[in-house]
Amino acid sequence: MTSDSTRAITVDPLTPTDTIPADTGPRIVAIGGGHGLGRMLSALSDFGDKVTGIVTTTDNGGSTGRIRACQGGIAWGDTRNCINQLITEPSVGSMIFEYRFKGNGELDGHNLGNLMLKALDNLSIRPLEAINLIRDMLKVQPHILPMSEHPADLSAMTPSGEIICGETSVDELEDVPLRLYVEPAVPATKEAVQAIAQADLILLGPGSFLTSIMPPLLLKEIELALKRCRAKIVFVMNLDKEKGPAGKMTLADMLRWCERSMGGRPIDVIVTDRQQEAIDAKYQQLIMPLASNNHQWRHDREKLRQAVDRILQAR
């Protein structure tokens, strides 16, 4: 396909003099969870408090799932992961926050950061206050917002009409679900809605599509905020095919799911490391090298930053 029909833009990495200085003030919102969102926020850390991460809070696996099973509340694991990747000054505090217990007994496998966030949540009026206390302690500038401060789970309707509950169960499905739900229908965090309304750029991904990127979009207030926002909306592709049902989805499927969950608001740009032929020509493709030199499936932080700089320059 020619560039006339695909609107693809292939660019080389930026030189250091091309980067946009952080003090110019674009407001950037990144939506997702786990390792993908943490990687993106880390790539954008030079923008400081102009960056906001909206984090999925429906995880029910691992240490997070065990804490939720006995204590209730939102899932803390993805938030902890994002904070970990934003720590720029190693300290005793950061070592404590990142510590994971090993051995026998109840504490085996638990991450101390998850326990700290849960303890602060129990002591605070709002979960967001717990996050901000940890951010202040670890000198993390970007804002980290839970998609909701109310506990909820991700559910899916299978092609046979069965309802499956829990992120881990969704990841284990054989086929792509017909629909996803957040149950109960909790309200979005008001600061997350406000951040979307004020954003100049909104980034979806990278990360697990069904269980990291989609859950925030399923909240009604976030759907409406994305539908009405003035920001450019960008979908950042993964570098490798996912395992589980999301691995059976095409890029066109993912774009359609996102747009349906944003009230029909179209995605403006797709960031990819290779030409995507099987999508509508209305989508602009920003084609750049994105992979880490050490792991071809992992996004390089500096290359992600360069991609964002290019999009901001084109506003």
Side-chain angles (χ1 to χ4, degrees):
M1 300 283 285
T2 66
S3 58
D4 289 340
S5 59
T6 61
R7 301 179 64 211
I9 301 175
T10 305
V11 299
D12 295 322
L14 293 171
T15 62
T17 56
D18 289 331
T19 59
I20 295 175
D23 59 3
T24 56
R27 296 182 180 273
I28 305 172
V29 170
I31 298 175
H35 297 282
L37 178 60
R39 199 80 174 166
M40 178 61 78
L41 294 176
S42 178
L44 301 176
S45 60
D46 285 349
F47 286 97
D49 63 4
K50 298 294 185 181
V51 175
T52 299
I54 299 176
V55 189
T56 293
T57 56
T58 51
D59 188 12
N60 68 329
S63 170
T64 292
R66 290 164 59 194
I67 293 170
R68 293 189 71 193
C70 68
Q71 290 279 318
I74 66 173
W76 288 106
D78 285 356
T79 296
R80 188 209 76 245
N81 196 315
C82 290
I83 293 173
N84 278 346
Q85 294 195 55
L86 284 166
I87 296 171
T88 57
E89 298 181 21
S91 63
V92 173
S94 67
M95 291 173 62
I96 292 172
F97 190 69
E98 295 172 11
Y99 181 77
R100 187 177 294 274
F101 292 93
K102 296 180 182 178
N104 300 318
E106 292 289 331
L107 287 177
D108 181 38
H110 270 305
N111 187 288
L112 185 53
N114 289 343
L115 296 172
M116 290 171 66
L117 283 163
K118 182 58 187 173
L120 289 170
D121 179 21
N122 289 345
L123 293 169
S124 302
I125 297 173
R126 301 178 59 189
L128 184 54
E129 290 184 356
I131 296 171
N132 287 336
L133 282 167
I134 294 292
R135 283 179 56 237
D136 290 344
M137 181 183 78
L138 299 177
K139 300 179 181 178
V140 168
Q141 288 190 324
H143 299 281
I144 308 291
L145 305 176
M147 72 179 206
S148 178
E149 296 182 281
H150 300 267
D153 287 294
L154 184 67
S155 297
M157 178 184 288
T158 69
S160 64
E162 183 182 4
I163 302 297
I164 301 295
C165 185
E167 264 195 24
T168 55
S169 298
V170 173
D171 272 333
E172 292 169 358
L173 289 173
E174 290 292 326
D175 298 308
V176 179
L178 293 180
R179 289 189 62 185
L180 290 177
Y181 312 86
V182 170
E183 296 183 325
V186 294
T189 303
K190 61 183 181 180
E191 287 84 354
V193 175
Q194 183 179 23
I196 291 169
Q198 296 176 345
D200 300 297
L201 182 67
I202 294 172
L203 304 165
L204 306 178
S208 302
F209 180 74
L210 294 174
T211 55
S212 289
I213 298 171
M214 281 301 301
L217 308 188
L218 300 174
L219 302 185
K220 192 65 179 177
E221 295 89 349
I222 289 181
E223 173 192 344
L224 292 175
L226 289 168
K227 180 180 180 179
R228 297 168 179 167
C229 74
R230 59 183 175 83
K232 184 174 288 187
I233 300 181
V234 178
F235 186 86
V236 183
M237 289 189 63
N238 291 334
L239 299 177
D240 198 9
K241 181 171 284 192
E242 285 189 60
K243 297 178 181 178
K248 298 182 180 181
M249 299 179 73
T250 66
L251 174 59
D253 292 333
M254 294 180 183
L255 298 175
R256 185 166 57 251
W257 276 54
C258 288
E259 292 174 346
R260 182 178 64 193
S261 298
M262 297 190 298
R265 170 66 156 82
I267 287 171
D268 299 297
V269 182
I270 298 160
V271 175
T272 175
D273 65 338
R274 59 194 178 277
Q275 179 79 38
Q276 302 297 319
E277 302 286 359
I279 58 172
D280 196 292
K282 68 181 180 180
Y283 295 110
Q284 178 182 329
Q285 297 184 41
L286 177 59
I287 305 169
M288 292 184 66
L290 297 169
S292 165
N293 293 331
N294 298 325
H295 302 285
Q296 290 301 303
W297 47 267
R298 178 184 294 170
H299 290 78
D300 179 86
R301 291 182 177 89
E302 181 56 29
K303 292 172 184 176
L304 278 175
R305 165 65 189 251
Q306 291 169 359
V308 171
D309 281 344
R310 288 292 184 187
I311 294 167
L312 288 173
Q313 288 173 344
R315 284 194 300 141

